[in-house]
Amino acid sequence: MSFRPSCDPLASSSSSNTWSPLVQRLEQEQEQRQRQQQPRGGGTMVPPSQYGIKYAVHIISSHFGDLVAKVCECLLRRGPLTHRNIVRFMEISASQVKNCLLVLIQQNCVQAFSVEHPGGDEDESRRSTEYMAVFDNIIHRMRFPKFVAVVSQELDKECVELFQGLLQHGRLTLEKMIDRAKSGQDCPAQDATRETLSKLINARFVERCPDPEPHLSPPSEEEGRARKRTKFSKVAAEPQTIEERVLAAAAPMEAKRFLTIFHTTTEEDGQKTECSFPGVGEKRKCDALESDKELGSDGSQVLWRVNVQEFMHRFRHKACVENVRERLDGGAAVALNAMLETSRSMEKKVKTDNAGPLTINTIYEEVMKGEAGRAMTLDHLRASLVMLGCERGTDESYQIDLKNIIELAQNEEVESVVLKRYGREAYRIFRLLSKANRLIETDKISSTAFVDKTETSKILFRLWKDEFLHMEKVVVTGPRQTQFLLWKVNKSTLWPHVLDEMYHAALNLNLRVAYELEKENELLNLPIEKRSGPLEKRYNRLRTVRLLLESSLMKLDDAIMLFHDF
């Protein structure tokens, strides 16, 4: 049974007139502190937490060894560094650092960039090359099986094999892909590899690699004043954090990102035709083709990599649909899925907050494509759209806020953690504070949540000690000095704390899997015919434990994406 407060918990308090102005002042001061703690530029990129760094370092260590992991950890903890500074901090040879950086760059885990030092002139001596660890790409390495599953559902076996090669090598040119295919048993033709790559590009599963070393100039005074003017405007300000500036400068322009310039031979007429991504402006396409002449006339030297954004885009939509299915019903899930599928071509970024606006007829056309939607009538669809909370336009167009669905899913995830860890009474108290979204006094929490006052105080202090609640003390002076303890769920600090705990749990699960495999290493190396009797039982036990741990890790990763990537 879920607890839903029917009214404002502070509205009927007899002492609210005494300390209500103090509560408002405390909330204003708290909001001001939160704004000051936000990163410049209002970006969504949050510095990795301590367990997030440990988790990323463990991933790199298990994939590429301890030396590469140490270089990666140095960049994660200290931020962008030059090659010389990495050598100084690591106390290893320059050649070892160089080789480690080359591995990390090849695997898209490090991005190089050149920076012009303030006060320098235009000559090259004032510029230096720095290296920045890309935390998100490191964590994405644990999602490679999910990526392969999506590709295998939509494309053929040849596309899956080529896609797995890109996951293994990080980035490849067409020439390397052809050489890799020729090393196999079937030895497919060059045109077959080009056609397979074209399918992956057209599905947006593969994209061009970013600029290997973009240049960052120090922001001028005029640019700084312009950003200050647009700080509170509706137009998004230019990214100001170093991570955002580097990734934005390195990203290829949209006209070139999915553009293919190699030629394929058709089976019908044997003629060579140029492959290019449809929908690109002719002028921008020509500019991109001109810039690729240096990389070979057939585009064989262009570097390609997996487009992680496309998969995050799909996982985000799937999470929204599943949340709506569990929270509302199947009809609402079908309606939401239809809106997302229809508006997919309109969305250019992974984190798009809205889907639509779409007319009722457009949505219904997409609904009818699925077996579950063929039984829906227009009235049923309208009722499902109302249930979703869609905004209705004058021409019966509908628009839904995906950000609200994600926030509800995040709330449910944290509430489930509180329920399992602290019990049902703590769950009711936490849910009350989460929905109130304001400071509430202890006595009012006790009376509204129907929990004994003494037990309420114990639960509140326990949640506060574990950083699930924020507490403020208010002292009211007068004939009798009274102290009030006010409680609130501060999501701006709680969500990063929950995410850090998830990284900690994911790290522990990975360590446990590694421990189980290392403990039974000799058993795994035995031939199958020798695994009999007790050895077979040990092997079956290991397989069951591994399956349980890895399935738990996959579910935990879904929760990590909910808080970090969505």
Side-chain angles (χ1 to χ4, degrees):
M1 178 183 296
S2 61
F3 175 75
R4 303 175 185 271
S6 59
C7 61
D8 187 348
L10 296 180
S12 59
S13 176
S14 59
S15 60
S16 62
N17 295 331
T18 306
W19 44 270
S20 180
L22 297 177
V23 173
Q24 295 177 0
R25 179 169 59 83
L26 287 172
E27 290 179 341
Q28 292 174 358
E29 292 177 354
Q30 184 181 2
E31 292 176 358
Q32 185 177 2
R33 289 195 300 267
Q34 292 174 9
R35 288 195 296 266
Q36 292 174 353
Q37 293 173 358
Q38 286 178 354
R40 293 182 178 180
T44 57
M45 296 186 61
V46 180
S49 61
Q50 290 301 313
Y51 280 109
I53 292 176
K54 292 180 180 180
Y55 183 39
V57 171
H58 171 76
I59 294 173
I60 296 298
S61 176
S62 60
H63 290 184
F64 308 111
D66 293 338
L67 186 61
V68 179
K70 290 179 180 178
V71 174
C72 182
E73 183 178 9
C74 180
L75 293 174
L76 286 171
R77 294 193 181 278
R78 297 181 179 272
L81 295 172
T82 61
H83 178 269
R84 179 180 300 178
N85 285 334
I86 299 175
V87 174
R88 180 167 61 91
F89 290 128
M90 294 290 298
E91 298 181 352
I92 58 178
S93 66
S95 60
Q96 287 178 313
V97 172
K98 178 182 177 182
N99 292 333
C100 292
L101 289 174
L102 289 176
V103 170
L104 292 170
I105 292 173
Q106 174 71 25
Q107 298 295 334
N108 306 299
C109 298
V110 163
Q111 174 66 51
F113 64 97
S114 62
V115 60
E116 183 177 345
H117 298 285
D121 48 20
E122 293 296 330
D123 59 11
E124 294 295 330
S125 62
R126 300 303 303 171
R127 296 184 181 182
S128 63
T129 300
E130 297 188 5
Y131 301 90
M132 178 190 72
V134 186
F135 175 78
D136 289 356
N137 286 355
I138 299 173
I139 302 300
H140 287 325
R141 298 190 62 83
M142 299 302 296
R143 296 163 187 155
F144 284 178
K146 296 181 180 180
F147 297 169
V148 175
V150 173
V151 176
S152 61
Q153 290 175 359
E154 297 195 11
L155 300 177
D156 52 31
K157 180 181 178 182
E158 289 74 17
C159 292
V160 174
E161 293 177 354
L162 183 57
F163 184 80
Q164 289 176 331
L166 282 171
L167 291 177
Q168 177 183 355
H169 296 281
R171 49 182 71 186
L172 289 173
T173 62
L174 175 61
E175 182 179 357
K176 294 294 184 181
M177 296 179 198
I178 294 174
D179 293 341
R180 183 176 179 274
K182 287 181 178 179
S183 64
Q185 299 179 356
D186 297 334
C187 297
Q190 295 183 4
D191 287 347
T193 304
R194 293 189 179 99
E195 183 180 355
T196 301
L197 179 59
S198 296
K199 292 179 182 179
L200 290 169
I201 296 172
N202 292 336
R204 298 210 168 194
F205 292 145
V206 172
E207 65 177 356
R208 292 195 180 206
C209 288
D211 189 341
E213 189 177 324
H215 173 66
L216 292 187
S217 300
S220 61
E221 295 182 1
E222 291 77 6
E223 292 176 350
R225 287 194 295 267
R227 282 194 292 268
K228 288 181 180 179
R229 287 194 300 268
T230 60
K231 182 177 180 181
F232 297 103
S233 63
K234 294 183 179 180
V235 180
E238 180 184 351
Q240 297 179 33
T241 63
I242 187 67
E243 293 86 355
E244 289 174 330
R245 292 182 62 204
V246 169
L247 296 180
M253 60 181 179
E254 197 68 22
K256 189 178 179 181
R257 186 179 172 192
F258 302 102
L259 180 64
T260 57
I261 62 172
F262 45 81
H263 301 276
T264 59
T265 305
T266 58
E267 297 180 356
E268 289 127 359
D269 52 12
Q271 296 180 352
K272 289 186 177 181
T273 58
E274 184 182 270
C275 271
S276 61
F277 189 76
V280 180
E282 293 298 326
K283 183 178 184 303
R284 290 179 293 172
K285 186 198 298 184
C286 293
D287 294 340
L289 291 174
E290 290 294 329
S291 65
D292 282 334
K293 287 183 177 180
E294 300 177 357
L295 301 176
S297 59
D298 58 348
S300 59
Q301 300 302 316
V302 177
L303 280 170
W304 301 92
R305 70 173 186 178
V306 173
N307 178 21
V308 176
Q309 285 189 353
E310 175 65 22
F311 293 98
M312 292 298 103
H313 175 99
R314 291 168 180 258
F315 294 157
R316 184 172 190 252
H317 284 182
K318 181 180 178 181
C320 290
V321 172
E322 292 303 320
N323 176 264
V324 167
R325 191 187 310 277
E326 295 178 2
R327 186 166 48 86
L328 301 177
D329 60 15
V334 170
L336 176 60
N337 185 66
M339 295 184 69
L340 295 176
E341 290 294 331
T342 305
S343 60
R344 174 175 294 181
S345 60
M346 306 177 187
E347 297 180 1
K348 297 181 180 179
K349 297 182 179 180
V350 180
K351 297 181 180 179
T352 304
D353 291 337
N354 297 320
L358 301 170
T359 62
I360 187 68
N361 292 329
T362 303
I363 300 172
Y364 193 63
E365 288 178 6
E366 183 65 30
V367 166
M368 290 188 298
K369 294 180 181 179
E371 182 178 355
R374 296 191 184 106
M376 293 184 67
T377 62
L378 276 174
D379 291 338
H380 188 186
L381 177 60
R382 290 188 181 96
S384 298
L385 294 173
V386 172
M387 189 183 303
L388 284 169
C390 296
E391 298 180 7
R392 178 173 176 175
T394 55
D395 55 345
E396 202 175 2
S397 60
Y398 293 87
Q399 183 173 359
I400 188 168
D401 185 7
L402 294 182
K403 184 178 179 181
N404 183 54
I405 298 178
I406 294 296
E407 289 178 353
L408 291 174
Q410 291 172 343
N411 292 337
E412 292 176 357
E413 187 70 28
V414 178
E415 289 170 3
S416 66
V417 172
V418 173
L419 177 62
K420 294 176 182 178
R421 187 180 300 181
Y422 303 101
R424 183 159 295 278
E425 291 183 344
Y427 165 77
R428 293 208 307 267
I429 291 174
F430 182 85
R431 185 180 176 89
L432 165 67
L433 293 172
S434 178
K435 287 187 172 296
N437 195 27
R438 61 184 301 182
L439 293 165
I440 304 181
E441 196 264 337
T442 306
D443 292 343
K444 195 61 185 177
I445 296 174
S446 175
S447 61
T448 309
F450 302 105
V451 181
D452 180 72
K453 183 178 179 180
T454 304
E455 187 66 23
T456 299
S457 298
K458 292 180 181 179
I459 292 172
L460 290 171
F461 275 103
R462 188 181 177 190
L463 291 172
W464 171 71
K465 183 180 179 181
D466 293 344
E467 301 182 22
F468 277 81
L469 292 181
H470 172 77
M471 181 183 66
E472 293 280 358
K473 292 183 180 180
V474 177
V475 178
V476 179
T477 59
R480 289 184 57 187
Q481 183 172 331
T482 308
Q483 176 178 290
F484 293 95
L485 294 181
L486 307 178
W487 309 87
K488 179 182 179 181
V489 174
N490 189 357
K491 295 180 181 179
S492 62
T493 58
L494 176 57
W495 271 205
H497 171 69
V498 172
L499 180 61
D500 191 46
E501 287 193 347
M502 291 179 180
Y503 286 137
H504 190 186
L507 175 62
N508 288 338
L509 285 173
N510 274 278
L511 293 174
R512 181 60 185 273
V513 171
Y515 167 76
E516 293 289 343
L517 294 178
E518 184 180 0
K519 185 176 67 173
E520 302 291 352
N521 187 34
E522 295 182 0
L523 177 64
L524 293 174
N525 293 329
L526 285 177
I528 300 178
E529 57 272 11
K530 292 186 178 181
R531 297 175 190 166
S532 59
L535 294 180
E536 185 178 4
K537 292 182 179 180
R538 284 175 55 190
Y539 179 78
N540 292 334
R541 179 257 177 196
L542 176 62
R543 185 174 58 180
T544 303
V545 170
R546 183 179 181 181
L547 179 62
L548 178 62
L549 292 174
E550 290 182 348
S551 61
S552 300
L553 183 60
M554 297 293 280
K555 293 179 181 178
L556 181 59
D557 184 67
D558 291 338
I560 291 176
M561 286 192 292
L562 180 65
F563 284 87
H564 181 71
D565 298 283
F566 297 166

